Every structure is written in structure tokens, then in C-alpha cells.
Amino acid sequence: MRKVSHILQRKGKNVISVEPGLPVINALQLMAEKNIGSVMVMEGSEYLGVMTERDYARKVILKGKSSTETFVKDIMTTGLPRITPDNSIETCMHIMSESNIRYLPVFVNDQVTGIISINDVVTETILSQKETIEQLQNYIQS
């Protein structure tokens, strides 16, 4: 069974974060530079939440707010379910589907060690299925 640790091994544990008092425009620029759809919101080593492209679209653009005058803390998502590297991919799929979320922060001993996206979960599922198909083909051919 594939686990979150497999995703983190494949993509790395690099956590891109911003401070809560940063203007949204600066967080968006960082996200664009890194080609990512979310950033962790951290104060020092303390996890506060996640800011996503969805947060920006729904809480800034649609509300007619200014990206330069709105702060990350004003639009970030808080209260996301916490997962660990030992959680299964199936568990993550269930959590994301039930909660209608696209990102899950990964924790070890209350410390953020990564973040996974729905894309990461789908990719890992596809890789697992390919591996199973190859094993079955090898079995049939032997």
C-alpha cells in the first residue's frame, strides 16, 4: 500500500512558506516563481495555515479586494486535516474528496514536514497502478 512518505520521497519535503503579514501579491509572486498552487503560512516554525490559488480567487478577486492591500492572514485556509507520512494514499483521497480540499499538510511530531496536493495523490496512484500492471505482465510471461 502506497503512503504519503512515497510522495514526499518522489517530490521532496521542500516546504515553501510565507508569513501571515505578507501582502497577498507577494505570496502570489512566490507561487508563480515556484510554479506551485499553494504556500504554507508559517510564523517562525509554527504552522498557521495554507494560502491557495482558490483562496485568492474566492476571497480577493471575487470580493473586489486589492492584492496589495490584503494580507495572507486574511485569506488563508486554516483547520485543514493533518496527515502523517504513514497515512495511506487512499486515506488522503478520502479526506480530500470528503472535505473538498486540494492540499493536505504533512506533520511529524507537530512539525510541518511537507504538503501534498490532489495532483500528487493522483500521480502516486497512477505510478502504483503501472507498477502492478508490470508485475502482472512479468508474472504472466514467466
Side-chain angles (χ1 to χ4, degrees):
M1 180 183 326
R2 295 282 182 150
K3 297 182 181 234
V4 171
S5 58
H6 292 106
I7 293 174
L8 296 178
Q9 286 172 358
R10 183 176 40 80
K11 76 178 238 176
K13 295 181 181 181
N14 191 19
V15 176
I16 308 296
S17 66
V18 296
E19 293 185 359
L22 191 71
V24 168
I25 190 71
N26 296 92
L28 291 171
Q29 288 168 338
L30 177 63
M31 290 163 64
E33 286 170 19
K34 302 290 185 183
N35 194 28
I36 54 177
S38 69
V39 289
M40 292 278 199
V41 183
M42 309 275 291
E43 199 157 52
S45 63
E46 182 185 358
Y47 165 82
L48 301 177
V50 175
M51 186 190 113
T52 68
E53 293 167 328
R54 184 185 275 186
D55 291 325
Y56 174 68
R58 294 180 179 181
K59 299 173 186 173
V60 177
I61 294 294
L62 289 179
K63 303 248 182 195
K65 294 182 178 180
S66 164
S67 301
T68 57
E69 296 174 9
T70 304
F71 299 101
V72 169
K73 65 183 175 186
D74 299 326
I75 69 164
M76 68 183 185
T77 297
T78 59
L80 288 174
R82 294 178 174 212
I83 60 169
T84 70
D86 290 330
N87 282 112
S88 71
I89 299 304
E90 290 80 12
T91 297
C92 295
M93 271 192 211
H94 179 75
I95 292 170
M96 290 171 144
S97 185
E98 289 293 313
S99 303
N100 194 30
I101 55 177
R102 297 170 187 241
Y103 301 94
L104 287 171
V106 182
F107 289 83
V108 173
N109 300 325
D110 267 347
Q111 292 295 313
V112 172
T113 60
I115 186 167
I116 64 167
S117 69
I118 189 68
N119 186 50
D120 296 326
V121 170
V122 169
T123 299
E124 196 65 33
T125 301
I126 291 169
L127 290 172
S128 178
Q129 289 174 348
K130 282 182 180 179
E131 189 176 286
T132 300
I133 290 168
E134 287 174 13
Q135 289 172 354
L136 289 171
Q137 286 174 334
N138 290 337
Y139 175 76
I140 290 169
Q141 292 172 357
S142 60

